Each structure stands twice: as structure tokens, then as C-alpha cells.
Amino acid sequence: MAASTHTEKTDSIMTGKDAEVGKELPYSPFGTKMRAMIVIITAMTGLVSPLLAMDNNPLLDIATARYPVVALSMFHFAMLFGTYFTNATAQPLAYEGIYNLSQGMSGLCFLASGVGCVMGSTGGGRVTDLLLRRYRRKLEAQADNDECRENLPTIPAEARLGAMWVGSGMFLCAVVICGWLLENRLSLAGVLVTQFFIGFGMAFTFQSLGGYLIDVFPMRSARITGVQNFWRSVWAAVIVQLFPTMHSNIGWGWSYTVMFFLTLTSLTLMQIVVFRGQILRQRFGPSIDLQ
């Protein structure tokens, strides 16, 4: 009898807008009273609880790699970050083993990469904004009259990728030079300079690629950022485990050269997205208009 009364009270609470929201939400494992509270809060705030959201499935987010533009972008993300992360974990071995630095001095050497990351992130964002403004002015110049200027076509997301090769090119050159400097035990100053450009190129490229994926998924920007973090972290974990074997068998120079060619391959494939990305999205998805 008590249970029946409790159910009736709960049902009476979920009336009007609450009841409509409740119908849209799946069963909650937290009990009837907790569910009623969440439904009321949801109706009052207009927010959907992550615990009850219908599409809160990480596997669906990971599956966005089925789209060609996303798969190619994730591949470049992964190769770039994997090389950067492997280099970061290998540097203490080089500083202490080749240049006989203490642990404290080895830590200070990471300032070069850190400063490069800060400058690359700032510069990459500014250059990307400049490219978008330039594309906008180009469309305005092509417009015949004021009415056409007011109804300009949408700037494609791929416009952000125009300068990506600058950051990636710096990154690739710095990686291969760093590897052979370490192989031949040459100047520590030269190694630190390459570390600056490795950090700069990585951060510069991430600004372009990250902004592109957010433009492609404007209503799921945080989730697509999480997906690219997942894929790049998976590859970084793999390549870091492989690097000691590579280093012991083929040395610093060729190990870095292998990572150079992997990243170069991903950058080459990214040119498909730069020049044909809009066509690929129209044919295979995702459709920005349907986000």
C-alpha cells in the first residue's frame, strides 16, 4: 500500500512539461525518487543530465572515424602527437646519457619545447583567423552588389587548414635533424633549437586541425575533441613502447627518421582533406547542417 502511494505521488509530480521530459529519458538505475528529482531539475533548467542522455555513448563518438575527413584528420593528429610524445620521453635519456646532464638540468632543457608550444599555439590561432578573414574578403570581392555581399556563401571548414603545412613542415624538419644530431653526439644547443621547433610545429598544427574538427562538428565540439584525444593517445602509447626497441636496434637517427616518414605520410594524406574535404563531406558525411 505504501509503495502504491509513493508511486502515485511520484507520478503526480511528473505532470505537464516534467512528464514530457520524463518520457524522453531512459530508465535510471538510481531509483524512482532520484529519477523524479532529476526530471524536475531537467525541466527547470532545460539541461539534460549526462546520466540520462540518450546519446551518451562513447562508442558512437569513436565511430566518427568512419567519415573520411575525420579519419584522415585523426591519423595526422595521431602521427604528429605520437612523434612529439616519443621525443619528449626520449629526451632525458639523451641529455643524461649523451651530454651527461643532471636530472635538474635535463628538466630545464624542456623549456625550449615549452616555449615553442606556447608560441606555436598563439601563432597558429592568429594565422588561422587571418586565413578566414582573407577568405571572407575574397568572397566579398567576388560579389557583384550589396545584396550579394549580404548573402555570401558559408566559408568552408577546410579554409582553416591552409597554413597547416607550415607547422607540420617545421615539425618534420626539426624531428629528423634532432635525431641525427643525437646520433652523431653533436651540439646540445642545436638539439635545443630543434626542440623549440618541434613544440612550435606541433602546437601550430593542432590549432588548425582542432579548429577544423570543431567546425565540422559545431554542436559536438567537446566530444570530437575528446575523440581526437583518444586516438592520438592510443598511438602515442604504442609508439612509446616501440621506441626502446627501435633505439637499441637502429639508433637515434633512424628511429627519428622512421617517425619522420610516418608523420610525413599522414601530412601527405591530409592534403586530400585540404583540397577535397568539402566534396568528401558532401558525399560521405558528416553534414554540418545536420549536427
Side-chain angles (χ1 to χ4, degrees), residues 84 87 91 95 99 101 108-117 119-120 167 169-179 181-182 186-202 256:
Y84 172 82
N87 168 74
Q91 285 307 297
Y95 297 144
Y99 301 104
L101 298 182
L108 289 176
C109 291
F110 280 90
L111 287 174
S113 177
V115 172
C117 286
M119 295 184 65
M170 289 183 182
F171 180 87
L172 288 169
C173 292
V175 165
V176 72
I177 292 173
C178 178
L181 286 176
L182 295 175
L186 298 178
S187 170
L188 175 60
V191 173
L192 294 180
V193 171
T194 61
Q195 291 304 302
F196 170 83
F197 283 106
I198 286 174
F200 183 94
M202 187 274 297
Y256 273 60

Side-chain angles (χ1 to χ4, degrees), residues 6-7 19-20 35 99 103 114 120 131 150 152 154 166 186 223 239 259 261 274 282:
H6 177 71
T7 304
E20 293 179 2
R35 175 177 169 77
Y99 301 104
Q103 291 185 353
L131 288 175
E150 293 178 357
L152 291 174
T154 304
V166 175
L186 298 178
R223 302 178 79 168
I239 191 66
M259 294 189 292
F261 279 112
V274 174
Q282 292 172 352

Side-chain angles (χ1 to χ4, degrees), residues 210-271:
Y212 170 70
L213 289 174
I214 290 174
D215 283 349
V216 173
F217 293 91
M219 301 303 294
R220 291 188 285 173
S221 56
R223 302 178 79 168
I224 196 62
T225 302
V227 171
Q228 58 98 347
N229 286 336
F230 170 80
W231 287 117
R232 76 183 188 184
S233 298
V234 168
W235 172 245
V238 172
I239 191 66
V240 164
Q241 295 298 319
L242 295 176
F243 182 79
T245 302
M246 294 166 56
H247 172 254
S248 62
N249 285 278
I250 59 178
W252 289 100
W254 285 111
S255 296
Y256 273 60
T257 302
V258 168
M259 294 189 292
F260 165 85
F261 279 112
L262 288 173
T263 310
L264 178 63
T265 300
S266 67
L267 176 61
T268 303
L269 293 175
M270 269 302 298
Q271 302 313 303

Side-chain angles (χ1 to χ4, degrees), residues 5-86:
T5 304
H6 177 71
T7 304
E8 291 175 359
K9 288 181 179 180
T10 303
D11 293 340
S12 65
I13 293 175
M14 296 174 55
T15 58
K17 185 177 180 180
D18 298 347
E20 293 179 2
V21 175
K23 290 179 181 178
E24 296 175 358
L25 300 175
Y27 173 75
S28 170
F30 302 100
T32 307
K33 183 178 292 187
M34 180 65 72
R35 175 177 169 77
M37 292 175 62
I38 293 176
V39 168
I40 293 173
I41 294 173
T42 299
M44 293 175 63
T45 62
L47 301 175
V48 178
S49 169
L51 296 173
L52 300 177
M54 291 289 289
D55 61 343
N56 192 28
N57 185 348
L59 295 179
L60 296 178
D61 297 329
I62 295 174
T64 54
R66 69 185 183 275
Y67 301 120
V69 295
V70 177
L72 293 173
S73 299
M74 296 298 177
F75 182 57
H76 189 45
F77 252 128
M79 295 301 107
L80 195 77
F81 183 72
T83 300
Y84 172 82
F85 195 73
T86 302

